[in-house]
Amino acid sequence: MALYKYFIKRLALTLPTLIGVSIIVFLLIHMIPGDPVDIMLGDRVTDASRLALEERLGLNQPLHIQYWNWFSNAVKGDFGISIRSNQPVIEEIMSRLPATVELTVVALFIAVVFGIIFGVSAARYRNTTIDYSMIGFSLLGVSIPIFWLGMMLIFFFSVILGWLPVSGRLAMGIAIPQVTGLYLVDALFAGNISYFWDALKHLALPAFSLATVSLALIVRVTRSSMLDVLSEDYIRTARAKGVRENKVVFTHALKNAMIPVVTVIGLQLAKLMGGAILTETVFSWPGIGRLLVTAISVRDYPVVQGVVFFVAFAFIAINIVVDLFYAYLDPRIRYE
Amino acid sequence: MNSEFKQVVKVYKKNKLAVVAFFIAAVLMILAVIGPYLAPYDPVEINLQARFEPGFWEGNTDHILGTDNLGRDIYSRILHGTGISLKVGYAVIAITAVAGLFIGLVSGYFGGVVDIVIMRFIDILLAFPPLLLALVIAATLGTGIEKAMLAIAIIYIPSLARIVRGSVLTVKEMPYVEASRAMGAGNIWIITGHVFPNVVTPVIVYLTLLLGDAILYTAALGFLGVGIDPTTPEWGAMLSSGKDFLILGKWWITVFPGIMIFLAVLSFNLFGDGLREAVDSKLRL
């Protein structure tokens, strides 16, 4: 099967899932026990404002019509208007999206680069102190609550040592000209190294705490996959030929050991998207996760619906890209 | 059965780390029951005269782990919190086991349209990042420990149902099932007598691995203040209330509950890993 045919098939299979997701997200607002308008407006409410909100949310219409209106607007990116800020929900999401993207991409980068380096070194120096400390690290790393880790990092690096900032994306008074919204990239565009350094310092702790769980998993998988590959016949042949051990590990083994690692990396995106909700809350990072948690606490349901649908949609889209990548790497997948 | 169990225990005992983890987990399970009786103070009692008191490291014998921003005794809150976390964990296991088994058995055994509809629905649930799903469901259901249990269980039900369905598909083609049917056995008899006992092992392993994870999600919901009342002595909620005082140097409010979450998750994870290895080795024999 050609890659584009596989892509179309994969896309067609996703469509019913996407519609199902939209139904669940839509129904959320109707599953709230009690009257959503009362809950959103609180106790002191006049009949006029009540009717106005009902009208605005379309709650006075039959359910299927409400759904259709919501869905047809949602696919166009229109999730309605925030009850608290009176801004369109999509604008609220878009203004915070770059912060979340920057955080998760940097965290994924840390997890992949260090995960592979640590995992390979553990396998290369099997049953040495290096190996044992990597195993220990990966055991602890998968079980640590990242929101607590984040707090402990703040306490150590910010409160005690004073090296890194406690929260936010930039120091007070700094304004980077916005191009992409990714401050690291924008600072480079502006050619301002001190801004770049400041953004990086703010990013360090949140990105590291978010990366920890994925990093630990990647270390574990890389190590065991490398050990499997290193026991293969062709590795023994290479060693018997007198190839240097580093060359055996890095050129002969590494490439073949990467297939299970790539699979695990693909699975980390869901973890990171969930973890971002926690990390952003710990570090007051102005991203989508914090937008969601705040919206939940002030019962701003259009924002909750918008963010959840947006994130689920992004998650599905990312999964398709990951699947396509596998299909490209391993053509057998396309025929399954 | 008895000798199989002995075999699993024998393999498990070779894994030293798993043995240590088992003992820590056992201590936590006991603490969950007797903890409230050991607690010297009421975990929710506010004492504004005793705010931010440091603990034993400054010679405080009244509050050995210190007090929080409302003067509540952290040691007492941690002891009560053990019960809450484990209770949620057990409940999540129970809900997941019942719902996952039922859905998986029905879907795998009967097949056809029922199977297609159920599997589609499971695909939809798996399309959400897990924490996001638990978070919005907890937010929708409202505050309450029972609601948090349900919200967390929904993360695992789809995966367990899939595992069960997969095993059922294999088991139902077995000759003994065919033989039983030939002898006139009904669906209920075949499911309870033949299919269920043969799919239960992977289910038990899955459920053991889930406990640590469920405790972590409980703490996450408590920390985010969704589904769990922020005043309850739940470990995650304690972290959330201590978070803002960390920059003032009041580290003990967040350090101790965090250690408890970490210890509980770690010991249950290692216990689950050890058990899975032991069971796998038994299956290979």
Side-chain angles (χ1 to χ4, degrees), chain B residues 103 117-127 158-159 161-162:
Chain B
I103 296 170
V117 171
I118 291 177
M119 285 301 120
R120 287 278 81 183
F121 188 65
I122 282 176
D123 282 346
I124 293 166
L125 288 181
L126 291 173
S159 322
R162 262 196 183 171

Side-chain angles (χ1 to χ4, degrees), chain B residues 268-284:
Chain B
F268 286 116
N269 278 350
L270 290 176
F271 170 63
D273 279 344
L275 189 71
R276 188 190 48 191
E277 270 171 33
V279 171
D280 278 355
S281 76
K282 189 215 82 185
L283 292 179
R284 257 186 261 120

Side-chain angles (χ1 to χ4, degrees), chain B residues 84-106:
Chain B
I84 296 176
S85 290
L86 290 194
K87 200 163 77 182
V88 177
Y90 298 149
V92 168
I93 287 187
I95 299 169
T96 308
V98 172
L101 270 169
F102 180 76
I103 296 170
L105 282 169
V106 168

Side-chain angles (χ1 to χ4, degrees), chain A residues 22 47 53 60 92 110 139 160 181 228 273 276 283 331:
Chain A
S22 74
D47 282 350
L53 185 63
N60 46 6
E92 298 249 0
I110 294 173
L139 276 177
I160 294 184
D228 282 349
M273 285 166 105
F283 291 93

Side-chain angles (χ1 to χ4, degrees), chain B residues 39 41 48 50 71 81 86 110 118 157 160 165 177 218 220 229 255 278 283:
Chain B
Y41 294 89
L48 294 177
L86 290 194
F110 292 104
I118 291 177
I157 295 171
L160 182 66
R165 175 181 175 270
V177 171
T218 313
D229 178 2
V255 164
L283 292 179

Side-chain angles (χ1 to χ4, degrees), chain B residues 222-262:
Chain B
F223 173 69
L224 295 173
V226 179
I228 289 169
D229 178 2
T231 60
T232 52
E234 195 280 325
W235 294 335
M238 291 174 73
L239 290 185
S240 167
S241 68
K243 174 179 167 274
D244 293 337
F245 306 105
L246 209 53
I247 35 173
L248 304 174
K250 318 288 185 203
W251 51 269
W252 54 91
I253 311 177
T254 40
V255 164
F256 297 115
I259 290 176
M260 292 304 284
I261 303 171
F262 192 17

Side-chain angles (χ1 to χ4, degrees), chain B residues 197-236:
Chain B
N198 285 297
V199 301
V200 84
T201 312
V203 172
I204 291 173
V205 172
Y206 180 85
L207 293 175
T208 333
L209 283 169
L210 172 162
L211 189 56
D213 216 38
I215 290 173
L216 196 54
Y217 276 114
T218 313
L221 288 186
F223 173 69
L224 295 173
V226 179
I228 289 169
D229 178 2
T231 60
T232 52
E234 195 280 325
W235 294 335

